[in-house]
Coordinates of all heavy atoms in Angstrom, one line a residue:
R206 N 18.3 51.0 -27.9 CA 18.1 50.4 -26.6 C 18.2 51.6 -25.5 O 17.4 51.6 -24.5 CB 19.1 49.3 -26.2 CG 18.8 48.1 -27.1 CD 19.8 47.0 -26.9 NE 19.4 45.8 -27.7 CZ 18.5 44.9 -27.3 NH1 17.9 45.0 -26.1 NH2 18.2 43.8 -28.1
T207 N 19.2 52.4 -25.6 CA 19.4 53.4 -24.6 C 18.5 54.7 -24.8 O 17.9 55.0 -23.8 CB 20.8 54.0 -24.6 OG1 21.2 54.5 -25.9 CG2 21.9 52.9 -24.2
N208 N 18.3 55.1 -26.0 CA 17.6 56.3 -26.3 C 16.1 56.1 -26.6 O 15.3 57.1 -26.4 CB 18.3 57.1 -27.4 CG 19.7 57.5 -27.2 OD1 20.4 56.9 -26.4 ND2 20.1 58.7 -27.8
V209 N 15.7 55.0 -27.0 CA 14.3 54.7 -27.3 C 13.6 53.8 -26.3 O 12.5 54.2 -25.9 CB 14.2 54.1 -28.7 CG1 12.7 53.8 -29.0 CG2 14.7 55.1 -29.8
R210 N 14.3 52.8 -26.0 CA 13.6 51.7 -25.0 C 14.0 51.9 -23.6 O 13.4 51.2 -22.8 CB 14.0 50.3 -25.5 CG 13.6 50.1 -26.9 CD 14.1 48.8 -27.5 NE 13.7 48.6 -28.9 CZ 14.1 47.6 -29.7 NH1 15.1 46.8 -29.2 NH2 13.7 47.5 -30.9
G211 N 14.8 52.9 -23.2 CA 15.1 53.2 -21.8 C 15.9 52.1 -21.1 O 15.8 52.0 -19.9
E212 N 16.7 51.4 -21.9 CA 17.5 50.3 -21.2 C 18.9 51.0 -20.8 O 19.2 52.2 -21.2 CB 17.8 49.2 -22.2 CG 16.6 48.5 -22.7 CD 16.8 47.4 -23.7 OE1 18.0 46.9 -23.8 OE2 15.8 46.9 -24.2
D213 N 19.7 50.3 -20.0 CA 20.9 50.8 -19.4 C 22.1 49.9 -20.0 O 22.2 48.7 -19.7 CB 20.8 50.6 -17.9 CG 21.9 51.4 -17.2 OD1 22.5 52.3 -17.7 OD2 22.2 51.1 -16.0
A214 N 22.9 50.6 -20.8 CA 23.9 49.9 -21.5 C 25.4 50.2 -20.9 O 25.7 51.2 -20.4 CB 23.9 50.4 -23.0
Y215 N 26.2 49.1 -21.0 CA 27.6 49.0 -20.6 C 28.5 48.5 -21.7 O 28.1 47.5 -22.5 CB 27.7 48.2 -19.4 CG 27.0 48.8 -18.2 CD1 25.5 48.6 -18.2 CD2 27.6 49.4 -17.2 CE1 24.9 49.2 -17.0 CE2 26.8 49.9 -16.1 CZ 25.5 49.8 -16.0 OH 24.8 50.2 -14.9
V216 N 29.6 49.0 -21.8 CA 30.7 48.5 -22.8 C 31.8 48.0 -22.0 O 32.4 48.6 -21.2 CB 31.2 49.6 -23.7 CG1 32.3 49.1 -24.6 CG2 30.0 50.1 -24.6
F217 N 32.2 46.8 -22.2 CA 33.3 46.0 -21.6 C 34.4 45.6 -22.6 O 34.1 44.8 -23.4 CB 32.9 44.8 -20.8 CG 31.9 45.2 -19.6 CD1 30.5 45.1 -19.9 CD2 32.4 45.5 -18.4 CE1 29.7 45.4 -18.9 CE2 31.4 45.8 -17.4 CZ 30.1 45.8 -17.7
P218 N 35.5 46.3 -22.7 CA 36.6 45.8 -23.6 C 37.2 44.5 -23.3 O 37.5 44.2 -22.2 CB 37.7 47.0 -23.5 CG 37.0 48.1 -22.8 CD 36.0 47.4 -22.0
L219 N 37.3 43.6 -24.2 CA 37.8 42.3 -24.1 C 39.2 42.1 -24.4 O 39.6 42.7 -25.4 CB 36.9 41.2 -24.8 CG 35.4 41.3 -24.5 CD1 34.6 40.2 -25.3 CD2 35.1 41.1 -23.0
R220 N 39.8 41.2 -23.7 CA 41.2 40.8 -24.0 C 41.2 39.6 -25.1 O 40.9 38.5 -24.6 CB 42.0 40.4 -22.8 CG 42.1 41.6 -21.8 CD 42.7 41.1 -20.4 NE 44.1 40.6 -20.7 CZ 44.9 39.9 -19.7 NH1 44.3 39.7 -18.5 NH2 46.0 39.5 -20.0
M221 N 41.6 39.9 -26.2 CA 41.6 38.8 -27.2 C 42.8 39.0 -28.1 O 43.1 40.2 -28.5 CB 40.3 38.8 -28.0 CG 39.1 38.5 -27.2 SD 37.6 38.4 -28.3 CE 37.9 36.8 -29.1
T222 N 43.4 37.9 -28.6 CA 44.5 38.0 -29.6 C 43.9 38.4 -31.0 O 42.7 38.0 -31.2 CB 45.2 36.7 -29.7 OG1 44.3 35.7 -30.2 CG2 45.7 36.2 -28.3
P223 N 44.6 38.9 -31.9 CA 44.2 39.1 -33.2 C 43.5 37.9 -33.9 O 42.5 37.9 -34.6 CB 45.4 39.6 -34.0 CG 46.1 40.3 -32.9 CD 46.0 39.4 -31.7
D224 N 44.2 36.7 -33.7 CA 43.7 35.5 -34.3 C 42.4 35.1 -33.7 O 41.5 34.6 -34.4 CB 44.7 34.3 -34.1 CG 45.9 34.5 -35.0 OD1 45.8 35.2 -36.0 OD2 46.9 33.8 -34.8
A225 N 42.2 35.3 -32.4 CA 40.9 34.9 -31.7 C 39.9 35.9 -32.2 O 38.7 35.5 -32.4 CB 41.1 35.1 -30.2
M226 N 40.2 37.2 -32.3 CA 39.1 38.1 -32.9 C 38.7 37.7 -34.2 O 37.5 37.8 -34.5 CB 39.7 39.6 -32.8 CG 39.9 40.1 -31.5 SD 40.3 41.9 -31.5 CE 42.0 41.8 -32.1
R227 N 39.6 37.4 -35.0 CA 39.3 37.1 -36.5 C 38.5 35.8 -36.5 O 37.5 35.8 -37.3 CB 40.7 36.9 -37.2 CG 40.6 36.5 -38.7 CD 41.9 36.2 -39.2 NE 41.8 36.0 -40.7 CZ 42.5 36.8 -41.6 NH1 43.2 37.8 -41.2 NH2 42.4 36.5 -42.8
S228 N 38.9 34.8 -35.7 CA 38.2 33.5 -35.7 C 36.7 33.7 -35.2 O 35.8 33.1 -35.7 CB 38.8 32.5 -34.8 OG 38.2 31.3 -34.7
L229 N 36.5 34.6 -34.1 CA 35.1 34.8 -33.6 C 34.3 35.5 -34.7 O 33.1 35.2 -34.8 CB 35.3 35.6 -32.4 CG 34.0 35.8 -31.6 CD1 33.4 34.4 -31.2 CD2 34.3 36.6 -30.2
F230 N 34.9 36.5 -35.4 CA 34.2 37.2 -36.3 C 33.7 36.2 -37.5 O 32.6 36.2 -37.9 CB 35.0 38.3 -37.0 CG 34.3 39.3 -37.9 CD1 34.0 40.5 -37.4 CD2 33.9 39.0 -39.2 CE1 33.3 41.5 -38.3 CE2 33.2 39.9 -40.0 CZ 32.9 41.1 -39.4
V231 N 34.6 35.4 -37.9 CA 34.3 34.4 -39.0 C 33.1 33.5 -38.5 O 32.4 33.0 -39.3 CB 35.5 33.7 -39.4 CG1 35.2 32.6 -40.4 CG2 36.4 34.7 -40.2
S232 N 33.2 33.1 -37.2 CA 32.2 32.2 -36.7 C 30.8 32.8 -36.7 O 29.9 32.1 -36.9 CB 32.6 31.7 -35.2 OG 32.4 32.8 -34.3
Y233 N 30.8 34.0 -36.5 CA 29.5 34.7 -36.6 C 28.9 34.7 -38.0 O 27.8 34.5 -38.2 CB 29.6 36.2 -36.1 CG 29.3 36.4 -34.6 CD1 30.3 36.7 -33.8 CD2 28.1 36.2 -34.2 CE1 30.0 36.9 -32.4 CE2 27.7 36.4 -32.8 CZ 28.8 36.8 -32.0 OH 28.5 36.9 -30.6
V234 N 29.8 34.9 -39.0 CA 29.4 34.8 -40.4 C 28.9 33.4 -40.7 O 27.8 33.3 -41.3 CB 30.5 35.2 -41.3 CG1 30.1 35.2 -42.8 CG2 31.1 36.7 -41.0
A235 N 29.7 32.4 -40.2 CA 29.3 31.1 -40.5 C 27.9 30.8 -39.8 O 27.0 30.1 -40.4 CB 30.3 30.1 -39.9
A236 N 27.7 31.3 -38.6 CA 26.4 31.1 -38.0 C 25.3 31.8 -38.7 O 24.1 31.2 -38.8 CB 26.5 31.6 -36.5
A237 N 25.5 33.0 -39.2 CA 24.5 33.7 -40.0 C 24.2 32.8 -41.2 O 23.0 32.8 -41.6 CB 25.0 35.1 -40.3
N238 N 25.2 32.4 -41.9 CA 24.9 31.6 -43.1 C 24.1 30.4 -42.9 O 23.2 29.9 -43.6 CB 26.2 31.2 -43.9 CG 26.8 32.4 -44.4 OD1 26.2 33.4 -44.7 ND2 28.1 32.3 -44.7
D239 N 24.3 29.7 -41.7 CA 23.6 28.5 -41.3 C 22.2 28.9 -41.1 O 21.1 28.2 -41.6 CB 24.1 27.9 -40.0 CG 25.5 27.2 -40.1 OD1 25.8 26.9 -41.3 OD2 26.2 27.0 -39.2
L240 N 21.8 30.0 -40.4 CA 20.5 30.4 -40.2 C 19.8 30.9 -41.5 O 18.6 30.8 -41.7 CB 20.5 31.6 -39.2 CG 20.7 31.2 -37.7 CD1 20.7 32.5 -36.8 CD2 19.6 30.3 -37.2
H241 N 20.6 31.4 -42.4 CA 20.0 31.8 -43.7 C 19.5 30.5 -44.5 O 18.6 30.6 -45.1 CB 21.1 32.5 -44.5 CG 20.6 33.3 -45.7 ND1 20.7 32.7 -46.9 CD2 19.9 34.4 -45.9 CE1 20.2 33.5 -47.8 NE2 19.7 34.6 -47.2
R242 N 20.4 29.5 -44.3 CA 19.9 28.2 -45.0 C 18.9 27.5 -44.3 O 18.0 26.9 -45.0 CB 21.2 27.3 -45.1 CG 22.2 27.9 -46.2 CD 23.3 26.8 -46.4 NE 24.1 26.6 -45.2 CZ 25.2 27.2 -44.9 NH1 25.7 28.1 -45.9 NH2 26.0 27.0 -43.9
A243 N 19.0 27.4 -43.0 CA 18.0 26.5 -42.2 C 17.7 27.3 -40.9 O 18.5 27.4 -40.0 CB 18.7 25.2 -41.9
P244 N 16.4 27.7 -40.9 CA 15.9 28.5 -39.6 C 16.0 27.6 -38.4 O 15.8 26.4 -38.5 CB 14.6 28.9 -40.0 CG 14.0 27.9 -41.1 CD 15.3 27.6 -41.9
R245 N 16.1 28.3 -37.3 CA 16.0 27.6 -36.0 C 15.1 28.4 -35.0 O 14.8 29.6 -35.2 CB 17.4 27.6 -35.4 CG 18.4 26.6 -36.0 CD 19.8 26.7 -35.4 NE 19.8 26.6 -34.0 CZ 20.8 26.9 -33.1 NH1 21.9 27.4 -33.7 NH2 20.8 26.7 -31.8
F246 N 14.6 27.7 -34.0 CA 13.9 28.3 -33.0 C 14.8 28.9 -31.9 O 15.8 28.5 -31.6 CB 12.9 27.3 -32.3 CG 11.7 27.0 -33.1 CD1 11.4 25.7 -33.5 CD2 10.7 28.0 -33.4 CE1 10.3 25.4 -34.2 CE2 9.6 27.7 -34.2 CZ 9.4 26.4 -34.5
Y247 N 14.4 30.1 -31.4 CA 14.9 30.7 -30.2 C 14.5 30.0 -29.0 O 13.4 29.5 -28.9 CB 14.5 32.2 -30.1 CG 15.0 32.9 -28.9 CD1 16.2 33.6 -28.9 CD2 14.2 32.8 -27.7 CE1 16.6 34.3 -27.8 CE2 14.7 33.6 -26.7 CZ 15.9 34.3 -26.7 OH 16.3 34.9 -25.5
N248 N 15.4 29.8 -28.0 CA 15.0 29.2 -26.8 C 15.6 30.0 -25.7 O 16.8 30.4 -25.7 CB 15.5 27.7 -26.6 CG 15.1 27.0 -25.3 OD1 15.6 27.3 -24.3 ND2 14.1 26.2 -25.5
T249 N 14.8 30.3 -24.7 CA 15.1 31.2 -23.6 C 16.4 30.8 -22.8 O 17.1 31.7 -22.3 CB 13.9 31.4 -22.6 OG1 12.8 31.9 -23.4 CG2 14.2 32.4 -21.5
V250 N 16.6 29.5 -22.8 CA 17.7 28.9 -22.0 C 18.8 28.5 -23.0 O 20.1 28.8 -22.8 CB 17.3 27.8 -21.1 CG1 18.5 27.1 -20.5 CG2 16.4 28.5 -20.0
T251 N 18.5 27.6 -24.0 CA 19.5 26.9 -24.7 C 20.0 27.6 -25.9 O 21.1 27.3 -26.5 CB 19.0 25.5 -25.1 OG1 17.8 25.6 -26.0 CG2 18.7 24.7 -23.9
S252 N 19.3 28.5 -26.5 CA 19.7 29.3 -27.7 C 19.3 30.7 -27.6 O 18.5 31.2 -28.3 CB 18.9 28.7 -29.0 OG 19.3 27.3 -29.2
N253 N 20.0 31.3 -26.7 CA 19.8 32.8 -26.5 C 21.0 33.6 -26.8 O 22.0 33.1 -27.2 CB 19.2 33.1 -25.0 CG 20.2 32.7 -24.0 OD1 21.5 32.8 -24.2 ND2 19.8 32.1 -22.9
C254 N 21.0 34.9 -26.4 CA 22.1 35.8 -26.8 C 23.5 35.4 -26.3 O 24.4 35.4 -26.9 CB 21.8 37.2 -26.5 SG 21.6 37.5 -24.7
T255 N 23.5 34.9 -25.0 CA 24.7 34.6 -24.3 C 25.1 33.2 -24.6 O 26.4 32.9 -24.7 CB 24.6 34.9 -22.9 OG1 24.0 36.2 -22.6 CG2 26.0 34.9 -22.2
T256 N 24.3 32.3 -24.6 CA 24.7 30.9 -24.8 C 25.3 30.7 -26.2 O 26.3 29.9 -26.3 CB 23.6 29.9 -24.6 OG1 22.5 30.2 -25.4 CG2 23.1 29.9 -23.1
L257 N 24.8 31.3 -27.1 CA 25.4 31.2 -28.5 C 26.7 31.9 -28.6 O 27.7 31.4 -29.3 CB 24.4 31.8 -29.5 CG 23.2 30.9 -29.8 CD1 22.4 31.5 -30.9 CD2 23.6 29.5 -30.1

Side-chain angles (χ1 to χ4, degrees):
R206 293 178 176 275
T207 55
N208 294 32
V209 174
R210 299 174 185 167
E212 299 180 16
D213 195 17
Y215 296 76
V216 171
F217 297 93
L219 301 182
R220 298 173 62 190
M221 297 185 71
T222 66
D224 285 345
M226 289 188 288
R227 182 185 185 119
S228 179
L229 188 56
F230 193 105
V231 170
S232 72
Y233 269 111
V234 180
N238 290 341
D239 288 343
L240 286 174
H241 192 263
R242 287 189 294 266
R245 289 174 54 191
F246 282 118
Y247 176 93
N248 185 281
T249 302
V250 172
T251 61
S252 294
N253 61 37
C254 61
T255 313
T256 55
L257 290 184

